[in-house]
Amino acid sequence: MNREDILKEITEIVQDILGEEEIYLTEMSTAKDIEGWDSLAHISILEAVQSEYNVVFDLEEIIEMATVGDIITAVENKR
């Protein structure tokens, strides 16, 4: 699985959680770029990503995640 595949799956997770099919993410996307991606949604998104990839992020990793690309990198590092 490459970064593009992970980006596609994370996009689908975000679309599902936010209830919006018209969300398109890039690796540079941040929560500030996406309407409705607040702190509660962020927690739900990260929980869904952890479940999807069977990984666990520690607090330090979560704090350092500023972009979708950072989430992808964290997934890759855990696999």
Side-chain angles (χ1 to χ4, degrees), residues 14-77:
V14 172
Q15 290 171 337
D16 184 52
I17 289 173
L18 298 182
E20 178 60 56
E21 293 181 16
E22 298 298 318
I23 294 173
Y24 301 99
L25 301 178
T26 69
E27 288 202 33
M28 296 307 297
S29 296
T30 67
K32 292 179 184 179
D33 299 328
I34 309 300
E35 187 174 332
W37 189 336
D38 57 17
S39 58
L40 183 57
H42 189 71
I43 292 168
S44 296
I45 290 165
L46 291 181
E47 286 178 346
V49 169
Q50 289 178 105
S51 178
E52 175 71 25
Y53 294 101
N54 196 31
V55 298
V56 176
F57 303 129
D58 62 37
L59 183 58
E60 185 175 321
E61 289 171 314
I62 292 171
I63 291 170
E64 292 176 2
M65 291 178 189
T67 67
V68 172
D70 294 337
I71 298 171
I72 294 168
T73 298
V75 168
E76 287 180 325
N77 289 342

